Amino acid sequence: RQSSGRGRLKREWLSETGGLYFTMVLRPDLPPVLSFKVSFLASLTLASLLHEVFDIDARLKWPNDILVDERKISGMLSELEAESDRVVYINIGVGINVNNDPSLIEPAATSLKNILGREVSKKDIFSRYLDAFERRLQNTAFDRVIEEWKQYTVTLNRDVRVVTTHEVFEGKAIDVDDSGALVLKCSDGSLKKVLYGDCFHQSR
Protein backbone atom coordinates (compact mmCIF):
# COMPACT_ATOMS: atom_id res chain seq x y z
CA ARG A 1 0.00 0.00 0.00
CA GLN A 2 0.96 3.64 -0.29
CA SER A 3 0.71 6.28 2.42
CA SER A 4 0.80 9.36 0.18
CA GLY A 5 -0.07 8.28 -3.35
CA ARG A 6 -0.86 11.04 -5.84
CA GLY A 7 -3.47 10.78 -8.56
CA ARG A 8 -4.46 12.94 -11.50
CA LEU A 9 -4.77 16.69 -10.84
CA LYS A 10 -2.94 16.17 -7.51
CA ARG A 11 -5.81 14.19 -6.03
CA GLU A 12 -5.20 11.56 -3.38
CA TRP A 13 -4.42 8.10 -4.79
CA LEU A 14 -6.23 5.59 -2.59
CA SER A 15 -4.11 2.47 -2.19
CA GLU A 16 -5.31 0.23 0.60
CA THR A 17 -3.89 -3.16 1.53
CA GLY A 18 -4.87 -5.89 -0.93
CA GLY A 19 -4.44 -3.89 -4.11
CA LEU A 20 -1.51 -3.97 -6.54
CA TYR A 21 0.43 -0.72 -7.01
CA PHE A 22 3.56 -0.20 -9.09
CA THR A 23 5.35 2.27 -11.34
CA MET A 24 6.92 1.33 -14.65
CA VAL A 25 9.96 3.39 -15.67
CA LEU A 26 10.14 3.27 -19.46
CA ARG A 27 12.67 4.60 -21.91
CA PRO A 28 11.06 3.91 -25.28
CA ASP A 29 12.82 4.85 -28.48
CA LEU A 30 10.07 7.20 -29.56
CA PRO A 31 9.78 10.85 -30.58
CA PRO A 32 7.93 12.97 -27.98
CA VAL A 33 4.94 13.38 -30.29
CA LEU A 34 4.15 9.66 -29.92
CA SER A 35 4.83 9.37 -26.19
CA PHE A 36 1.17 9.68 -25.11
CA LYS A 37 0.37 6.48 -27.00
CA VAL A 38 2.45 4.49 -24.51
CA SER A 39 -0.08 5.35 -21.80
CA PHE A 40 -2.97 4.33 -24.03
CA LEU A 41 -1.14 1.08 -24.76
CA ALA A 42 -0.65 0.45 -21.02
CA SER A 43 -4.38 0.68 -20.24
CA LEU A 44 -5.31 -1.26 -23.37
CA THR A 45 -2.95 -4.07 -22.33
CA LEU A 46 -4.52 -4.35 -18.89
CA ALA A 47 -8.10 -4.39 -20.20
CA SER A 48 -7.16 -7.08 -22.71
CA LEU A 49 -5.39 -9.13 -20.02
CA LEU A 50 -8.42 -9.05 -17.72
CA HIS A 51 -10.52 -10.33 -20.64
CA GLU A 52 -8.12 -13.14 -21.40
CA VAL A 53 -7.23 -14.33 -17.89
CA PHE A 54 -10.48 -13.80 -15.96
CA ASP A 55 -13.11 -13.51 -18.71
CA ILE A 56 -13.97 -10.06 -17.35
CA ASP A 57 -15.53 -7.51 -19.69
CA ALA A 58 -13.09 -4.73 -18.77
CA ARG A 59 -13.61 -1.45 -20.57
CA LEU A 60 -11.66 1.78 -20.92
CA LYS A 61 -12.67 5.25 -19.80
CA TRP A 62 -10.73 8.14 -21.30
CA PRO A 63 -7.93 8.75 -20.73
CA ASN A 64 -6.75 5.59 -18.93
CA ASP A 65 -9.15 4.18 -16.32
CA ILE A 66 -10.35 0.58 -16.52
CA LEU A 67 -14.00 -0.11 -15.66
CA VAL A 68 -16.07 -3.24 -15.13
CA ASP A 69 -19.83 -2.64 -15.31
CA GLU A 70 -19.11 1.10 -15.04
CA ARG A 71 -17.16 0.62 -11.78
CA LYS A 72 -13.46 1.48 -11.60
CA ILE A 73 -11.07 -1.42 -11.15
CA SER A 74 -7.82 0.29 -12.18
CA GLY A 75 -6.32 3.70 -12.75
CA MET A 76 -3.07 4.90 -14.30
CA LEU A 77 -1.08 8.11 -14.18
CA SER A 78 1.85 8.91 -16.47
CA GLU A 79 4.62 11.49 -16.32
CA LEU A 80 7.40 12.04 -18.81
CA GLU A 81 10.50 13.99 -19.58
CA ALA A 82 11.44 14.67 -23.18
CA GLU A 83 14.01 16.52 -25.20
CA SER A 84 13.35 18.04 -28.59
CA ASP A 85 13.77 14.81 -30.53
CA ARG A 86 13.46 11.97 -28.04
CA VAL A 87 11.72 10.75 -24.92
CA VAL A 88 14.05 10.59 -21.91
CA TYR A 89 11.65 8.55 -19.77
CA ILE A 90 7.98 7.83 -19.18
CA ASN A 91 6.83 6.82 -15.69
CA ILE A 92 3.46 5.06 -15.57
CA GLY A 93 1.95 4.52 -12.13
CA VAL A 94 -0.60 1.71 -12.05
CA GLY A 95 -3.13 0.82 -9.37
CA ILE A 96 -5.26 -2.32 -9.65
CA ASN A 97 -7.95 -3.28 -7.16
CA VAL A 98 -7.22 -6.96 -6.62
CA ASN A 99 -8.01 -8.38 -3.17
CA ASN A 100 -9.19 -5.17 -1.52
CA ASP A 101 -12.75 -3.81 -1.32
CA PRO A 102 -12.60 -0.20 -2.54
CA SER A 103 -16.38 0.11 -2.60
CA LEU A 104 -16.31 0.78 1.15
CA ILE A 105 -14.62 4.12 0.39
CA GLU A 106 -15.52 4.64 -3.26
CA PRO A 107 -18.96 3.21 -4.13
CA ALA A 108 -18.17 3.57 -7.85
CA ALA A 109 -15.18 1.20 -7.59
CA THR A 110 -14.78 -2.57 -7.55
CA SER A 111 -12.05 -5.21 -7.36
CA LEU A 112 -11.19 -8.59 -8.82
CA LYS A 113 -12.09 -10.22 -5.49
CA ASN A 114 -15.54 -8.60 -5.52
CA ILE A 115 -16.15 -9.64 -9.12
CA LEU A 116 -14.80 -13.20 -8.93
CA GLY A 117 -15.79 -13.99 -5.34
CA ARG A 118 -12.28 -15.15 -4.47
CA GLU A 119 -8.78 -13.83 -3.92
CA VAL A 120 -6.29 -13.97 -6.76
CA SER A 121 -2.49 -13.84 -6.88
CA LYS A 122 -1.17 -10.30 -7.20
CA LYS A 123 2.21 -11.72 -8.18
CA ASP A 124 0.64 -13.64 -11.07
CA ILE A 125 -1.23 -10.58 -12.36
CA PHE A 126 1.90 -8.43 -12.04
CA SER A 127 4.04 -10.94 -13.95
CA ARG A 128 1.44 -11.51 -16.69
CA TYR A 129 0.90 -7.78 -17.14
CA LEU A 130 4.59 -6.89 -17.44
CA ASP A 131 5.13 -9.70 -19.96
CA ALA A 132 2.11 -8.65 -22.02
CA PHE A 133 3.03 -4.97 -21.95
CA GLU A 134 6.63 -5.68 -22.96
CA ARG A 135 5.43 -7.74 -25.93
CA ARG A 136 3.10 -4.99 -27.03
CA LEU A 137 5.77 -2.31 -26.70
CA GLN A 138 8.06 -4.33 -28.93
CA ASN A 139 5.51 -5.43 -31.51
CA THR A 140 2.75 -2.83 -31.70
CA ALA A 141 2.45 -0.46 -34.62
CA PHE A 142 1.92 2.79 -32.75
CA ASP A 143 -0.16 4.28 -35.54
CA ARG A 144 -2.89 1.74 -34.67
CA VAL A 145 -2.91 2.08 -30.86
CA ILE A 146 -5.74 4.62 -30.66
CA GLU A 147 -7.98 2.64 -33.03
CA GLU A 148 -7.53 -0.52 -30.97
CA TRP A 149 -8.05 1.44 -27.74
CA LYS A 150 -11.37 2.74 -29.07
CA GLN A 151 -12.62 -0.83 -29.49
CA TYR A 152 -12.53 -1.20 -25.70
CA THR A 153 -13.78 2.20 -24.61
CA VAL A 154 -17.15 3.05 -23.05
CA THR A 155 -16.58 6.81 -23.17
CA LEU A 156 -17.58 7.46 -26.76
CA ASN A 157 -21.13 8.27 -27.80
CA ARG A 158 -22.21 9.41 -24.35
CA ASP A 159 -22.49 12.67 -22.45
CA VAL A 160 -19.43 13.44 -20.33
CA ARG A 161 -18.04 16.11 -18.03
CA VAL A 162 -14.28 16.72 -18.16
CA VAL A 163 -12.61 18.58 -15.30
CA THR A 164 -9.16 20.10 -15.85
CA THR A 165 -7.03 22.21 -13.53
CA HIS A 166 -8.80 25.43 -14.50
CA GLU A 167 -11.84 24.53 -16.63
CA VAL A 168 -14.82 22.22 -16.93
CA PHE A 169 -16.11 20.99 -20.29
CA GLU A 170 -19.38 19.22 -21.01
CA GLY A 171 -20.66 17.60 -24.16
CA LYS A 172 -21.08 14.35 -26.05
CA ALA A 173 -17.83 12.41 -26.53
CA ILE A 174 -17.74 11.64 -30.23
CA ASP A 175 -14.13 10.62 -30.83
CA VAL A 176 -10.58 10.26 -29.56
CA ASP A 177 -8.30 11.69 -32.22
CA ASP A 178 -4.80 10.58 -33.13
CA SER A 179 -3.28 12.98 -30.60
CA GLY A 180 -5.18 11.25 -27.78
CA ALA A 181 -7.55 14.21 -27.35
CA LEU A 182 -11.18 13.58 -26.46
CA VAL A 183 -13.43 15.31 -28.98
CA LEU A 184 -16.61 16.73 -27.47
CA LYS A 185 -19.67 17.98 -29.29
CA CYS A 186 -20.95 20.84 -27.19
CA SER A 187 -24.58 21.88 -26.72
CA ASP A 188 -24.16 24.70 -29.27
CA GLY A 189 -22.91 22.24 -31.90
CA SER A 190 -19.28 23.28 -31.67
CA LEU A 191 -16.45 20.77 -31.29
CA LYS A 192 -13.95 20.92 -28.42
CA LYS A 193 -10.76 18.88 -28.10
CA VAL A 194 -9.62 18.12 -24.55
CA LEU A 195 -6.10 16.77 -24.07
CA TYR A 196 -6.17 15.98 -20.35
CA GLY A 197 -8.44 15.96 -17.32
CA ASP A 198 -10.75 13.84 -15.22
CA CYS A 199 -13.62 12.47 -17.29
CA PHE A 200 -16.97 11.75 -15.66
CA HIS A 201 -19.59 9.74 -17.52
CA GLN A 202 -23.06 11.17 -17.22
CA SER A 203 -26.06 8.90 -16.64
CA ARG A 204 -27.28 7.19 -19.77
Side-chain angles (χ1 to χ4, degrees):
R1 62 183 300 275
Q2 297 171 314
S3 59
S4 53
R6 177 172 54 84
R8 193 178 301 116
L9 303 182
K10 298 183 179 180
R11 290 190 173 93
E12 181 183 6
W13 180 297
L14 299 176
S15 46
E16 60 183 356
T17 301
L20 174 60
Y21 317 103
F22 58 96
T23 296
M24 298 183 292
V25 181
L26 310 171
R27 293 182 174 84
D29 185 17
L30 288 173
V33 69
L34 293 179
S35 60
F36 74 92
K37 293 189 178 183
V38 176
S39 296
F40 278 80
L41 187 64
S43 59
L44 171 61
T45 300
L46 182 55
S48 178
L49 184 70
L50 294 177
H51 275 276
E52 295 168 6
V53 177
F54 301 106
D55 195 27
I56 290 174
D57 188 22
R59 295 289 167 175
L60 298 167
K61 184 181 80 168
W62 184 90
N64 48 23
D65 285 346
I66 292 92
L67 309 180
V68 178
D69 293 329
E70 296 289 324
R71 301 177 73 186
K72 185 174 177 177
I73 195 170
S74 175
M76 299 184 183
L77 180 68
S78 62
E79 297 178 335
L80 70 88
E81 180 175 314
E83 296 178 349
S84 59
D85 60 346
R86 70 183 183 95
V87 172
V88 179
Y89 65 79
I90 303 174
N91 294 344
I92 301 180
V94 181
I96 308 172
N97 295 324
V98 183
N99 296 324
N100 53 318
D101 185 4
S103 64
L104 299 174
I105 303 173
E106 292 286 342
T110 190
S111 68
L112 286 173
K113 181 181 178 180
N114 287 351
I115 295 167
L116 301 173
R118 60 180 174 85
E119 291 196 351
V120 298
S121 168
K122 291 186 290 182
K123 181 178 179 180
D124 182 59
I125 296 170
F126 185 53
S127 176
R128 286 176 180 267
Y129 178 74
L130 291 182
D131 286 346
F133 186 52
E134 184 176 29
R135 285 195 301 271
R136 282 181 175 264
L137 274 177
Q138 294 173 347
N139 300 313
T140 295
F142 276 85
D143 59 345
R144 296 204 300 268
V145 168
I146 298 299
E147 284 305 314
E148 187 176 357
W149 185 94
K150 287 194 285 189
Q151 294 175 19
Y152 281 84
T153 190
V154 287
T155 294
L156 297 183
N157 300 313
R158 67 191 300 170
D159 292 329
V160 301
R161 182 170 178 263
V162 182
V163 179
T164 71
T165 307
H166 302 293
E167 297 177 279
V168 176
F169 303 101
E170 293 185 346
K172 184 176 183 179
I174 61 171
D175 197 12
V176 174
D177 70 14
D178 206 46
S179 71
L182 185 65
V183 182
L184 303 182
K185 186 174 184 178
C186 303
S187 57
D188 62 0
S190 64
L191 299 182
K192 176 68 179 180
K193 292 185 178 183
V194 186
L195 280 170
Y196 73 94
D198 272 346
C199 178
F200 299 91
H201 293 166
Q202 305 301 298
S203 298
R204 289 185 181 276

